[in-house]
Amino acid sequence: MGNRFEKYQTTIVFIIIGIFLFGVAQWNYLFFHILAEFFSIIIAFMIFVIAFNTKKYIKYRYFMLLGIGFLFVGAIDLLHTLTYRGMNVFDPVPFEATQLWILARFLEAATLLVAFTFFFTPKKFNCLTCFAVYLSITTIALITMALGVFPKCYIEGVGLTPFKRISEYIIIAMLALTLYFFRKRKTYFDDQVARYLVLSIVFTIVSELMFTLYFDVYGTFNIIGHIFKFISFWFVFKSIISTGLSAPQK
């Protein structure tokens, strides 16, 4: 009985958290959004901290790239949360929350894809160069948003723009391609780490699908998408823990 519980304890915990967050959303969506996003943001920052502090134990540079990438994804998600409708943190709001969401998801998908494609050799990895690239991309994107050059993603009373929907499908395609490359390099990973990474990508794909369907930013598809996003971040975090602290690669 104990072994069976241990086997399914993660699933049980996620179900409980999902039900809790869904219930909070029915009571106060803005509070739900803050909780869901801050859970994900904290996990994203922890991914970076653990990857950076255990880099000497990591044979392949894949996980260091993940750490830096998720640092910036978490930072953009934080801006997304603070600029969300109803937060009233900025006056006027310098960025559109949905634009920031798309930027973070593109950066996340690109990080996973590039890592699986190019970072499976024990060659020297320049963290400063990688950090500078992410900082440059993020800064340029934010400037285009502030100047009104970045395409609109959501129009009040209308819903998602074609750019937003097409972007989500492109992100899904990038993630699907990531799964393809992962299958070719699966032997680089311990079975448990591989399982965590696959689950993370699958939950991210489902999350992105939810965000192609909603018309109301407070709607059910939006709620489910945020919950699945949190779960996907958690599995990346678990893979970093298993790799950085246990060095499981073959």
Side-chain angles (χ1 to χ4, degrees), residues 130-197:
C130 183
F131 188 92
V133 170
Y134 275 97
L135 181 61
S136 299
I137 293 172
T138 302
T139 302
I140 292 171
L142 293 178
I143 290 173
T144 62
M145 290 179 191
L147 295 176
V149 177
F150 199 95
K152 291 286 184 181
C153 293
Y154 182 85
I155 299 175
E156 193 69 36
V158 177
L160 301 178
T161 64
F163 171 78
K164 168 66 162 60
R165 293 186 186 278
I166 292 172
S167 294
E168 296 283 11
Y169 288 123
I170 292 174
I171 291 168
I172 291 170
M174 292 170 67
L175 293 167
L177 190 59
T178 300
L179 280 177
Y180 169 76
F181 282 120
F182 176 77
R183 287 186 62 187
K184 290 181 171 294
R185 295 165 170 82
K186 191 174 180 179
T187 54
Y188 282 87
F189 300 100
D190 174 82
D191 289 343
Q192 187 179 53
V193 175
R195 185 165 59 252
Y196 288 148
L197 290 170

Side-chain angles (χ1 to χ4, degrees), residues 19-78:
I19 293 173
F20 168 73
L21 288 175
F22 196 86
V24 171
Q26 306 309 307
W27 168 61
N28 187 319
Y29 181 87
L30 190 58
F31 183 50
F32 155 78
H33 187 260
I34 293 171
L35 284 179
E37 287 294 352
F38 269 78
F39 284 160
S40 299
I41 292 164
I42 291 170
I43 291 173
F45 290 161
M46 288 173 66
I47 289 171
F48 168 74
V49 170
I50 292 173
F52 185 80
N53 285 283
T54 60
K55 59 182 181 293
K56 64 181 179 180
Y57 304 113
I58 299 175
K59 182 180 179 182
Y60 298 102
R61 301 301 92 189
Y62 166 82
F63 286 100
M64 194 61 238
L65 177 66
L66 269 189
I68 295 174
F70 271 81
L71 172 66
F72 282 89
V73 170
I76 298 168
D77 278 339
L78 179 59

